[in-house]
Each structure stands twice: as C-alpha cells, then as structure tokens.
Amino acid sequence: MEFNMSMAVPATPAQLWSTLLDVPRISSCIPGCESVEEIQRLAAYKATVKQKIGPFKLEVPADIIVESITEPSHVRTRATGRDKITGTRLAVVLDVTVTQEGSGSTFAVDAKVDVQGRLATMGFGIIKRRVDQNFEEFEKRLKEMLGAA
C-alpha cells in the first residue's frame, strides 16, 4: 500500500527540520507511539506503537533504521515490526520531505506499507481510514508543538 500526505506548516524549513530531527519530541506527535529508544543518533531506534484498527488492537515493537538524510530537506526511514497477538507484520518505508512555501514550509510524507497477517484481511479501505486519521492527528499535534494551532 502507498500513502501520500502533505501539510502546510507555518514554520521555516530550518525550524521544521530541527523539530523533525528531535526524535523524542517529534515522536510525541505520532498517534499511538508509546515509547522510543535511541540506539544510535539519527541512525537506529526502537519504538512501540499501539493502534486499534477495526477489531484488532495492535502493539508493534518496531526497529527503525534511518536510511538516508539530506539536510535540511529529506529523510528516509525503514521500520519493521510484528504484533505478538495477531502475528501481523508491518514494514514501512517513509520518505519525509520539507520544502519552502512562502514564509512557511510544506511537510510531505510518502509511505510504502507492507502489511502481512490478520490485519491485512481488513483491506485497504479500513487501513487507509486509520492512516488518514493518524496523519490528521499528527498534523494537529505538530502545529500545536510549533505554536501554530
């Protein structure tokens, strides 16, 4: 599955970029993100994400690798994890891009998500609805964090 989302952010690209690279801070904007552990700064992390999607309650411990960073405009990460209860496996590649737009920035996310196991039986529509809800909540939290709400 592929998802493409973007938002206008009333912060300069430099301000937005520094927020994105502050992993403990930005993780508080991610719905369901329960914990983040830095293994190696801007290279490797462990996180636990909890979500309810349809009838499934998932708790996914994930390994996150930062594959590339082009400061101050692009970062690519890869996350993999498996929910112990449902056996659902997730693999996500995120490309995050920051660009100048007027006096603010555009924050864009291109995500490629591979879902295997019981959650995959829910189908694209239900998963997409949850992704859209999470992105809306992320946008709200990020704008509040940047003092732009």
Side-chain angles (χ1 to χ4, degrees), residues 46-49 58-63 80-84 90:
K46 289 189 178 291
T48 301
V49 177
L58 302 174
E59 182 174 334
V60 180
D63 293 313
T80 56
R82 181 179 177 273
D83 177 68
K84 289 183 255 183
L90 298 171

Side-chain angles (χ1 to χ4, degrees), residues 3-75:
F3 303 98
N4 308 96
M5 299 148 288
S6 67
M7 70 174 100
V9 179
T12 67
Q15 291 167 322
L16 180 54
W17 187 256
S18 69
T19 300
L20 294 176
L21 294 188
D22 185 344
V23 174
R25 189 169 179 223
I26 196 67
S27 68
S28 70
C29 294
I30 301 169
C33 185
E34 296 281 316
S35 66
V36 174
E37 176 188 354
E38 183 177 277
I39 307 302
Q40 182 179 352
R41 177 154 168 72
L42 300 180
Y45 298 85
K46 289 189 178 291
T48 301
V49 177
K50 292 182 180 179
Q51 289 281 307
K52 184 172 186 322
I53 303 175
F56 299 114
K57 288 184 180 176
L58 302 174
E59 182 174 334
V60 180
D63 293 313
I64 303 163
I65 302 297
V66 178
E67 292 188 338
S68 67
I69 296 178
T70 305
E71 293 203 36
S73 60
H74 178 261
V75 63

